[in-house]
Amino acid sequence: MQTISNQKPSATKSDSATPGSGNSELLQLETWLPYRLFRISTRVADVLNAFYGPKYGFSRSAWRTMAIIANRPGASAKEICQAGGLDQFSVSRAVKQLVELGFARRTSGRSDRRYAAIELSESGWAAFTEISNVAKRLDADLTSAVSSEELALLDGILARLDNASAGILARGWRGATEPVADEPGAPAAKRDA
Amino acid sequence: MQTISNQKPSATKSDSATPGSGNSELLQLETWLPYRLFRISTRVADVLNAFYGPKYGFSRSAWRTMAIIANRPGASAKEICQAGGLDQFSVSRAVKQLVELGFARRTSGRSDRRYAAIELSESGWAAFTEISNVAKRLDADLTSAVSSEELALLDGILARLDNASAGILARGWRGATEPVADEPGAPAAKRDA
DNA sequence: CTAATTGTTTGCATAGTGCAACTATATGCA
DNA sequence: TGCATATAGTTGCACTATGCAAACAATTAG
């Protein structure tokens, strides 16, 4: 590999501006926590997608949807949205895809017929089981890098980070650092350090 | 909110297949580590995107590219690819976007004129600084949910998970659980528990 | 009965992605 | 020198994904 440049910002040639502006340290993407989490998760998700994508022909949204309805058979589209962090359009299209491929079906035989009530078919369960096994193996592969004590620690830390991230999302980029009302679905966690 | 269904899989009505197939436990998306990491990271990234997107008019790839060249002024497109986990097309288009918006420039005055040598302009540094500050605040917001000891622990754990995920990516979904040769750019880490 | 509300779908415009083909530069070698 | 080959980067094109408005269907309120 041929390294072209490895200058520090301060060594930038004069017509390129320097950070300056009262900014003590440059942000480094590689050490920014959300980016680190992103890298790990997308690598694994990409590998899983490389399995189910070609084999079953559905999208990431469809896989997420499938995984959600596997745990909540008969869920409505709205419930899937909430559980999976997907918007209603994605869910609608994902369900459509799964139904067309024969992995899911809609049964609207309830009192309120606005709701969809989606569940997996035989082949849907088969596909889910197979993808799950790969997912579990990847997870085991990933977590084999850390001890079980660390994993337990990580579990607690992630629960709180998840909670904090929900707060950040709710407040938006303007948001001051204020506690936010409990979000539904997230495990209760104290922000106390 | 009107809850329609909350059945457990085992209570599924009879024409819907049950997991069965020698599968001891259903995979739960919410507890699958890569998904948990994904949720946290995308929430924060979405919020940051909601800041720089409308304000500066560039994409996520462009922001990543900007952050990378801020730390490596004069980097070539190829270096940006490697550092940011982006493919060459994304980088090419991201750089184009940044140049068109006046945030970066290409200077190919080196010995090897195939390389691009990209750096931020004055306004590029200004934008980067401003976005960085928001990013740092979000990070601080996020990490305020855990103690500094836990954060240090997390740092080490993530370093190893990052390493493991690189191995998973390299091996693909077929990959057995074998150690993989050192990847460039990742901090050295032992897989020992 | 009508209006408002809720759950879901769909069409359309836009944005992002992957791939092949292309330009330009550099290198190896006869 | 001349020509094949390799490398860096760009661009066109097809395809996929996403966001939004609008439509549609079922329910509830007045």
Side-chain angles (χ1 to χ4, degrees), chain A residues 144-147 150, chain B residues 160 189-193:
Chain A
S144 72
V146 299
S147 71
E150 285 173 316
Chain B
R160 273 171 294 145
K190 299 153 210 71
R191 60 186 302 107
D192 176 43

Side-chain angles (χ1 to χ4, degrees), chain A residues 76-78 88-89 92-93 96 106 114-116:
Chain A
S76 70
K78 192 169 200 188
Q88 56 178 153
F89 313 111
S92 178
R93 289 187 248 251
K96 189 182 185 185
R106 287 174 237 240
R114 285 173 302 182
Y115 291 82

Side-chain angles (χ1 to χ4, degrees), chain B residues 19 25 40 81 108 124 176 187:
Chain B
E25 281 233 10
I40 299 168
C81 292
S108 53

Side-chain angles (χ1 to χ4, degrees), chain A residues 7-40:
Chain A
Q7 309 167 330
K8 288 224 171 300
S10 53
T12 305
K13 70 194 239 268
S14 54
D15 76 329
S16 177
T18 44
S21 316
N23 190 28
S24 52
E25 281 231 11
L26 280 177
L27 177 82
Q28 280 191 256
L29 200 56
E30 307 82 40
T31 61
W32 194 54
L33 182 58
Y35 181 68
R36 297 179 70 188
L37 302 178
F38 175 79
R39 275 198 4 173
I40 299 168

Side-chain angles (χ1 to χ4, degrees), chain B residues 30-156:
Chain B
E30 308 81 40
T31 61
W32 194 53
L33 182 57
Y35 181 68
R36 296 179 71 188
L37 302 178
F38 176 79
R39 278 205 352 178
I40 299 168
S41 63
T42 51
R43 280 171 178 165
V44 181
D46 283 353
V47 171
L48 189 63
N49 182 253
F51 172 70
Y52 66 72
K55 180 154 190 179
Y56 296 108
F58 49 72
S59 65
R60 287 170 153 86
S61 298
W63 158 242
R64 277 215 256 172
T65 299
M66 173 178 265
I68 291 161
I69 58 180
N71 282 279
R72 310 170 200 231
S76 70
K78 192 169 200 188
E79 285 178 86
I80 297 170
C81 292
Q82 293 165 339
L86 293 158
D87 62 86
Q88 51 175 15
F89 313 112
S90 304
V91 171
S92 179
R93 289 186 247 250
V95 170
K96 189 183 185 183
Q97 197 174 38
L98 290 173
V99 169
E100 281 170 353
L101 292 168
F103 295 129
R105 58 175 157 259
R106 288 175 236 242
T107 57
S108 53
R110 290 174 200 285
S111 51
D112 191 331
R113 291 198 317 246
R114 284 173 305 182
Y115 291 83
I118 300 137
E119 58 188 14
L120 293 181
S121 65
E122 297 273 345
S123 61
W125 278 113
F128 173 71
T129 303
E130 198 165 1
I131 300 168
S132 289
N133 287 334
V134 176
K136 284 177 189 169
R137 195 163 50 72
L138 294 178
D139 190 84
D141 238 28
L142 185 66
T143 55
S144 71
V146 298
S147 71
S148 50
E149 295 82 37
E150 285 173 315
L151 209 52
L153 225 4
L154 180 64
D155 186 71

Side-chain angles (χ1 to χ4, degrees), chain A residues 155-177:
Chain A
D155 187 70
I157 293 171
L158 289 183
R160 273 172 292 144
L161 291 180
D162 189 85
N163 197 250
S165 70
I168 288 168
L169 183 65
R171 290 190 301 271
W173 61 267
R174 305 184 156 280
T177 309

